[in-house]
Structure formats: C-alpha cells, structure tokens
Amino acid sequence: MTTRIPVPLTQFVVKMHSRCDLACDHCYVYEHADSSWRSRPKVIADGILVKAAERVGEHAVAHRLSAVRVVLHGGEPLLAGPDRLRRAAEAFRAALPPECALDLRIHTNGVLLGRAYCALFAELGVKVGISLDGDRVANDRHRRFADGRSSHPQVLRAVRLLNEPEYRHLFAGLLCTIDIENDPVAVYRALAELRPPAVDFLLPHATWEEPPKRVPGGGEAPYADWLLAVHRLWEADGRPFAVRTFESVHRTLRGLSSLTESMGLEPSDLAVLETDGTFEQADSLKTAYDGAPATGMNVFAHSLDDLARHPGIAARQSGLAGLSAACRACPVVRSCGGGLYAHRYRADTGFDNPSVYCGDLMTLINGIAGDGGSSAAPAAVPTAVPAAVPAQGAEPLLPAALAPAQLDELARGYGSADTVAALGRSQLALTRAMLAAAWDASGQGRAQAWALLSELDGAVPTAVDTVLAHPYARTWAARRLAGDLAAGLGPLAALAAAAAVRAGRGDAVAVPVRGGWLHLPTLGRVAVPDGEAVVTGRADGFEVRAADGSVRTALDQPLRRVRLAGGWTVALEDLDPLRDSHDHPVAERLSETELLGWTGALREAWELLGRDLPAYAEGIRAGLGTVTPLRSGPVGRDVSSAARQAYGVVGIARPATAPTLALLLAHEFQHVKLGAVLDLFDLHDRADDRLYFAPWRPDPRPLEGLLQGTYAHLAVTEYWGTRTAAYDGLAGEAAARARAQFALWRRYTAEAVERLAESGALTGLGVRFAEGMRGSVEPWLAVPLPEAAEREAERVRRERDEHGRLRSVEA
C-alpha cells in the first residue's frame, strides 16, 4: 500500500540558521559528504517561515492531527536571533487548528544560551535540548570553537541555567554523540550530575563507505560494549532519566513501539525545512553522499502531502518490507529495525543493506535482554502504534492520535465523539501495520490479494478503510504474527474481495472457500462449494464464480444491522469466522425471532444509555460499530466480553432485560477504549509479573487485569449513581437495589484505584491516568446514601469474601 500516505508527517525540523559558532569535527552538516549548506542563506526568511507554518497547518487540518512537533534547528539556531525565533514560534502556533497541540523545541549547542533567551522560551513555550558529549575531556574531543578553544564551560553554564527552578520546565534533555575513546563511566557520571530529564546517546554517523571508528583491542562490537556499560550504570541508578535508545530496546523486546527513528519498524514521520525553503529528508542522510537528503521540493510549490509521497520518505515508512533480505531474516529485526536509514548506505547497493553498526546493534539488543532489562519474552504480536511516552523523566510527546486533553478525558472514564474517533483512527493504523507485518512474514511476495489491496488503497481508499475498520480485520494478522500458521492466507483474500466489491471497479480476486461458505467481511456470506472461488466487484454488485463453475450474484446471509435512535447503526456480527476471538463461545446465525429480540433490546438499551450514562453514550456511539452475540451462560449469569485484538466490537449474550444490556454495553466498551489507549501508551511496567487482587474478584490477576477492571467499573459506578439519583425520594425494591449496587461499586472502584496507585508499577503516564480515574470516582463517594444501602453493600462484600464469589450485577 504505497500510493497513499500511510503516516502523516508530524515532526518538522526547521533550519533557522545554516551556520554554526562551533567547529565540531563530527558534525554531519559541515563535515560529511553533503555540502549543500555552502549555497544556502545563513538565515531563514520570514516569508519562508510563514509559508512553512501554513503548510504544517493545512497538513494538520487535512489529517486531523492532534499534535505536531516543530524543532528549531541549525547550524546553530540561536544565531538567528531572538526576534526571528519569536516570529517562528508565533507563526507555527497561529497556523495550527485549535484542536492540534504544538510541541515546540529548539536544539542548540548552548554557547549563546542566556537568561534573555530562557525568558523568551518560557514566554513562547519552547523546550530546549542541548548537545553535550560528557565531561570536559570527552566534550573537547570534538566540540570546540574554530580556534581550538573548549566550549565545555559555556555549555555547562547553559545547563545550569536550565536547571534553575524558573526554567527547569524548559529543559528537554541532552544529546551525547558516542566516541568509544571516551570513558563510558565518566561520560555517564558527568551527564547524570547535571540532572537532565533525558539523554540521547547517539551513534556517530557512518556508512559502509565511511565506516565508524574502531580502536585496537576494542572488541567486535565496541559501540555496543560502550552503551552496555552505560546501561548497567543507568539501571543500577534506577533509570534517573529517560534514554530513548535503552527504552526503545526494552519496548520493542516486548512488542511495543520504538521511541526513536534509529530503532524499530515504525514509519518515519519527519521532514526538514532548510533556510532556502527547500524540503529535505532526515538530516542524517547528509552523511551518505552529496545531495542524499534532497527531495527537489520546496515550501512554496509543494504541500506536505507531496513531500510524504516522495520515494525517499516512503522508503523510511515501509517497515519490514523496506529492509534488506538479511535484515528481514534477522531474529532481532523488530528491535533493531535495520538501524538508522543513513547508516545502511553503500555506493553500489544504495540503502538496501544492514546498518554499518549491525553487529553492535545485535550485541546491544541481546545484551540488554540478558541484563534483565526486559524480563518478559518478546511479544509475537505488536500491541502499540508509534508512541513516545518515556516512563521516567522525559517530557512525553503524545502520538498524533491523541492530544493530552483527550488522554485526560479518557482517564476520567469518558470519551467524546472526537476523542473516540481519534482512537478509531489509531486502531485503523495499527490494523494496517499488523496486516503488513503478517504479510511480510508470510513470504508470499506480491500475491494477488495483497497487490489488489495495495492498488485499491490508492485508488478507492474509502473501500479499503471500511473493510479494515471491521473489528475482526486484524484478528487474522494477530494470529499469524503469534505463529498460528493454521490461520492460512484466506482471510486476507476475503478482505481484498470485500474491498473489491465495495470499490465496484470490476477487480477480481481468488478466495479459498472452506466449509461451504465464502465470507466477505462487512457484507455477509455466500454459499458455494469448497475450493477456490473468484470474486469480482461490479458497479451493480458482485459475482462469485465457484470452483465448480457455478456463479452467484447475491449474498445468502447478509450482515444485519440495527438502526438506533439518532441514525446510529450497529452491526450484529453472527457470521465472521474470526469472531471467536472473545473468551466466551459465540452464538450461531440468529433466527428471525432472535434478531427481532436483539433489535428491540438494543433500541431500548440505547435510549437508557442516553438517559443514565450520557457522558459515556457519545463515545459509545462514535466507536461501537458491532455487537457479536454470544451463547448464553449459566442461569443467573450475564455473559459479555471485549476482544483485545478487535476494536469497535463487544460480545454479549442477550440478557433478560434492556437495562442490563445497557450496562453491559457500557462496561465492555470501557475495555475497548482502554485497549486502544494501551496500544498507544505504556501505562504500567509490562515486565511486572506480580498478581493483584481486585475487590470484586476472589482470584488475583496481573496488573493489566486490575487496570482493565477498574476502568470498566467507572462506568458501572456511574450507571448505578445516575439510577440512584433518578430514584431520589422514591421507595420500592428497584430503588433499594440501585442504592445498594451504587454503594457497593463506588467502594470497590475507589479501592481498586488506590490499589493501582500503590502498586509501584505504573509509569508516569499511568499515574496520571489513575489520577483521572480517582477524580471520577471521588465525587460519587460523597453522595449520601441510606444506612440500608450501605448495609446491603457490606453484606454482598462479605459474601464474596467468605464464599469466594461475587453476586452478579443485574439491572
């Protein structure tokens, strides 16, 4: 799928000044292969800044971005002067739509940084990163003035200034380029003493044409040895600051996203604007050959969509498929990602090579895994889309999927239509990434189904989006990536066939048939003999030519939908063979009588949700597109389930009453939302293997189970709270039951939030999320209730504690 923009550009490096006041001999701008800096203006013009801001703004609107990062860079950006830096900051902030947050940063060598600049950056909200290679000996090895003088005192002065309370919030971190002749212990200690929120340890830029420095007796992987020495100190000190390289290895070993372009398989979303208004690819490419970063595009003639389609940028967005054959076969490829793109360059084969640091990267990844930094086994299924949320110290940049305010909204348990729609877009992106990874792993090359999906994705993207947004579209990919080869490749062909039918262009694709049914996701199924059937999408419908030559042009069993009040439509999915993803058995095809029962129950339940849970109903409408009927459980036990790898669906066995159905819908959709959040962010230490008791269960569960249950019961608490309010002043069995359930669930949920907070296993973002949950449950604790309700809640609680079971919650 290469003709569309798979990932919008969200990070922009803006060259404010093309010269520098230092003469660092390892600088990729002035000391490597590319010499384009010589012909560029020293300072970026105001007109270019204004147009660049306009381009970023229109890109944010077109792709509904919730956040972008702009880094003011150089050369040395402070040489541009305070007035121009102010104009740049104001231009980008003014150009973005209100719903798009701006993460504005400047990267400097620190020489010119003084109080006046810090005051300006505090006013404008600009975070500051500083280059520093360690102690004075290490820093002076490369970072000197042209006359040979040390820059170390000036840089330390700048860092001390950023550590003052008035400016500490501006301090983004330090950037340290590794030199294996420097003592790693001395470098680490010197940087740690400065109390940075983050440190980036960078491999010096090198290629196969200009290999990295080696020293006699340095071993086969000297850069890995250097980094592993630092890693051991960092772990021993309790990870006092964020280190993206180390955290990226820890994350990718667990199947999560990398935090840096130099590792992992996440697509690049970075663009560079030079002082003359030209767009370039990543700066690191300047180390490959003269002109390597060039795109031939400029800010006046080309949009950022144009830039994102440039073959060079597309190559850095293609994941596993864009790597060399040696990399694709490597056991650590999902952590390494082939290394930084520039480091793969060789004159005769271009970038189709492993990194020149290949041996170091493998040693580093295996070394960190062996150090115990990631006690969990590598996950077979990727569970996160690109995210950047360091657990310690570093200022997190929320991925473009969510703005910080939206994450806080979700933490309270809620989710507006826009927020839940943003989760849906992130899930669609994850589905695409997992399908691509599963296809790459299949080794089938450009087979018909994948080729057709790719073509349709560019020509009729809405057809592909509709099919891939089906909840079970990525279930096949998840199973394949988990090693279940029995899943076969048929489900991918079925997705392509469904997209072809929706596109209606006359495209044909062969689909294997098993069990006498050809299933077309989002549409329904056709009864045909086993074998290979050819599906052709037409403007007026479709044609299925079966293995025996028979032709069918209509669905025997269409996917049925229920239209609810306000025009909301929910599919009743009783056909998809992959719907068995839930942890309860699924029901077979509903009879007409059962369908009518579901239709009435869903319509009534939706009305009740709007009445009793209005703050939740908006998000449910925006994100819940499918209900999968489950088989009924034992008498007196309601059955419901959310599937972790199926966004936008809940499984439910239709309960006896519509109020119970409303409660189950809200409860399970909480799991759906939280699963999508966990795909974006690490809220807890996934290596924590301790078990925790939830107040409502007799058996201990992993921390994520406690988190999921707590989050789901925010909705349960509010449901009973609003029903209690509705019964205010009224007597009767229903009113008494609502009050008792409210008393029980507000207590349970509050206790669970505190248990999470006291676990010590939440990340910084997880603590913030728990605070949001606490903020929702605390007001309910203050609602006065009759003594009888509290006594009944206590009786139920004792019953669970004594008998090891919890009375089921009925509306």
Side-chain angles (χ1 to χ4, degrees):
M1 303 182 184
T2 58
T3 56
R4 293 186 68 209
I5 304 171
V7 178
L9 301 174
T10 64
Q11 300 193 64
F12 306 94
V13 172
V14 179
K15 298 301 188 74
M16 299 299 299
H17 202 284
S18 67
R19 304 297 189 270
C20 189
D21 46 2
L22 293 183
C24 306
D25 60 15
H26 60 5
C27 179
Y28 60 85
V29 176
Y30 307 111
E31 301 295 335
H32 283 251
D34 187 83
S35 61
S36 58
W37 64 272
R38 299 180 184 276
S39 61
R40 290 202 165 104
K42 290 183 179 180
V43 185
I44 193 168
D46 287 350
I48 294 174
L49 282 174
V50 170
K51 189 63 180 179
E54 178 186 320
R55 291 296 193 193
V56 173
E58 68 185 19
H59 197 66
V61 170
H63 296 280
R64 302 184 67 185
L65 301 181
S66 56
V68 298
R69 173 174 287 180
V70 175
V71 182
L72 307 180
H73 212 282
E76 171 49 50
L78 296 185
L79 291 174
D83 291 342
R84 198 170 302 271
L85 293 174
R86 173 186 290 278
R87 290 195 291 274
E90 291 175 345
F92 282 103
R93 203 171 297 282
L96 290 175
E99 64 273 13
C100 184
L102 174 63
D103 179 29
L104 187 58
R105 303 189 174 218
I106 191 166
H107 193 87
T108 171
N109 58 34
V111 169
L112 296 178
L113 187 69
R115 291 190 180 277
Y117 271 123
C118 285
L120 175 68
F121 298 150
E123 175 192 347
L124 298 173
V126 181
K127 297 194 183 308
V128 184
I130 291 185
S131 296
L132 179 64
D133 288 349
D135 57 7
R136 180 161 186 158
V137 171
N139 200 67
D140 285 355
R141 194 180 295 276
H142 299 288
R143 296 188 184 277
R144 291 178 173 270
F145 289 95
D147 61 5
R149 287 180 296 124
S150 170
S151 66
H152 194 252
Q154 291 93 327
V155 181
L156 286 189
R157 183 192 65 226
V159 174
R160 292 191 190 104
L161 186 58
L162 287 173
N163 268 322
E164 292 184 5
E166 185 178 3
Y167 303 125
R168 173 69 185 183
H169 67 287
L170 302 177
F171 195 5
L174 301 174
L175 185 149
C176 172
T177 301
I178 298 167
D179 189 313
I180 54 176
E181 293 189 68
N182 291 331
D183 179 0
V185 176
V187 168
Y188 172 82
R189 294 297 184 207
L191 298 179
E193 286 176 4
L194 298 176
R195 299 187 300 111
V199 177
D200 270 350
F201 291 102
L202 302 183
L203 294 169
H205 288 315
T207 69
W208 290 101
E209 299 301 312
E210 296 288 340
K213 180 198 307 186
R214 304 281 172 174
V215 295
E220 295 183 358
Y223 292 90
D225 295 339
W226 196 98
L227 281 167
L228 287 170
V230 171
H231 179 263
R232 285 188 284 273
L233 292 169
W234 180 70
E235 289 282 12
D237 287 351
R239 304 185 182 185
F241 44 79
V243 179
R244 287 195 302 171
T245 297
F246 298 157
E247 291 173 355
S248 292
V249 174
H250 292 309
R251 289 170 61 88
T252 53
L253 285 173
R254 304 196 307 271
L256 302 175
S257 60
S258 171
L259 305 177
T260 171
E261 185 185 9
S262 61
M263 304 196 77
L265 294 171
E266 285 70 43
S268 170
D269 58 358
L270 174 74
V272 178
L273 177 73
E274 290 287 353
T275 57
D276 60 357
T278 56
F279 284 130
E280 288 202 339
Q281 302 173 63
D283 259 14
S284 55
L285 286 170
K286 293 180 184 294
T287 200
Y289 58 88
D290 199 8
T295 65
M297 299 183 185
N298 67 77
V299 73
F300 294 102
H302 301 90
S303 71
L304 290 172
D305 279 11
D306 295 331
L307 182 62
R309 293 188 183 96
H310 184 275
I313 289 181
R316 293 185 296 118
Q317 294 183 331
S318 54
L320 192 66
L323 301 184
S324 68
C327 287
R328 292 197 299 272
C330 178
V332 300
V333 64
R334 296 196 178 276
S335 287
C336 168
L340 192 67
Y341 191 73
H343 295 173
R344 307 172 199 170
Y345 178 72
R346 190 194 300 267
D348 55 348
T349 51
F351 297 95
D352 189 25
N353 310 288
S355 168
V356 72
Y357 289 103
C358 178
D360 289 282
L361 291 172
M362 178 171 283
T363 301
L364 174 66
I365 293 164
N366 288 331
I368 288 178
D371 281 347
S374 179
S375 60
V381 180
T383 57
V385 297
V389 189
Q392 284 89 11
E395 177 71 18
L397 171 66
L398 302 189
L402 288 179
Q406 290 178 307
L407 181 64
D408 291 338
E409 178 189 343
L410 288 164
R412 296 291 299 266
Y414 307 122
S416 67
D418 285 345
T419 296
V420 175
L423 285 179
R425 291 192 295 273
S426 75
Q427 288 290 293
L428 180 58
L430 178 56
T431 296
R432 287 172 171 275
M434 291 177 66
L435 285 170
W439 183 252
D440 285 339
S442 73
Q444 298 296 308
R446 295 281 294 176
Q448 183 191 28
W450 186 252
L452 178 57
L453 266 179
S454 298
E455 181 184 348
L456 291 175
D457 197 35
V460 196
T462 55
V464 177
D465 282 350
T466 299
V467 173
L468 297 192
H470 182 58
Y472 302 112
R474 86 163 180 245
T475 302
W476 168 80
R479 293 179 181 180
R480 291 284 298 190
L481 290 170
D484 181 11
L485 300 183
L489 300 178
L492 183 68
L495 290 172
V501 172
R502 289 188 171 276
R505 301 191 318 166
D507 301 288
V509 62
V511 182
V513 177
R514 301 290 183 270
W517 290 104
L518 169 67
H519 178 249
L520 297 173
T522 73
L523 297 171
R525 63 184 182 181
V526 183
V528 293
D530 285 1
E532 188 173 80
V534 176
V535 180
T536 303
R538 303 192 184 283
D540 59 349
F542 66 89
E543 174 189 286
V544 176
R545 186 171 296 276
D548 64 356
S550 62
V551 175
R552 303 298 304 276
T553 58
L555 295 166
D556 292 286
Q557 294 183 344
L559 178 64
R560 295 176 295 198
R561 302 177 185 276
V562 177
R563 188 173 182 83
L564 305 176
W568 178 35
T569 301
V570 176
L572 277 171
E573 180 56 87
D574 54 4
L575 298 174
D576 197 311
L578 297 175
R579 72 190 189 281
D580 60 356
S581 304
H582 301 272
D583 56 7
H584 294 282
V586 297
E588 297 303 319
R589 178 70 167 176
L590 298 176
S591 68
E592 290 299 321
T593 300
E594 291 169 326
L595 175 62
L596 287 174
W598 267 105
T599 299
L602 283 171
R603 287 174 175 166
E604 186 177 349
W606 175 235
E607 291 180 10
L608 293 172
L609 283 171
R611 184 195 72 185
D612 294 332
L613 287 174
Y616 287 83
E618 182 184 353
I620 292 173
R621 173 173 176 158
L624 181 63
T626 304
V627 173
T628 293
L630 303 179
R631 292 183 191 172
S632 297
V635 175
R637 178 169 176 252
D638 295 313
V639 172
S640 62
S641 171
R644 187 64 178 82
Q645 293 294 341
Y647 178 80
V649 61
V650 298
I652 296 176
R654 183 162 69 88
T657 68
T660 301
L661 178 57
L663 179 56
L664 294 176
L665 287 169
H667 177 278
E668 294 302 336
F669 193 67
Q670 289 293 94
H671 290 304
V672 172
K673 286 190 299 185
L674 184 56
V677 170
L678 292 172
D679 283 337
L680 289 169
F681 308 105
D682 274 344
L683 299 184
H684 62 92
D685 180 5
R686 296 177 188 267
D688 179 25
D689 57 1
R690 292 174 294 172
L691 297 178
Y692 299 83
F693 280 97
W696 51 84
R697 291 180 66 107
D699 55 321
R701 310 194 69 200
L703 187 68
E704 184 168 334
L706 177 61
L707 176 61
Q708 284 277 4
T710 307
Y711 192 69
H713 287 115
L714 289 177
V716 173
T717 300
E718 185 145 340
Y719 174 86
W720 289 115
T722 57
R723 300 208 72 170
T724 295
Y727 286 121
D728 187 32
L730 300 178
E733 183 179 346
R737 178 165 181 72
R739 291 170 188 138
Q741 289 294 322
F742 179 41
L744 178 68
W745 287 108
R746 69 179 183 176
R747 185 186 309 178
Y748 275 162
T749 308
E751 288 179 9
V753 170
E754 297 311 313
R755 198 160 294 174
L756 284 168
E758 295 166 1
S759 69
L762 298 181
T763 64
L765 208 60
V767 171
R768 173 173 157 184
F769 202 84
E771 283 295 323
M773 291 194 289
R774 182 184 287 119
S776 281
V777 76
E778 281 183 344
W780 291 118
L781 295 173
V783 175
L785 287 175
E787 285 292 330
E790 297 287 7
R791 287 196 302 271
E792 175 63 11
E794 183 59 28
R795 185 190 68 77
V796 174
R797 183 187 182 94
R798 284 198 307 270
E799 180 179 296
R800 185 204 70 82
D801 292 340
E802 293 170 3
H803 302 290
R805 60 185 175 84
L806 176 65
R807 176 183 293 181
S808 65
V809 179
E810 297 175 350

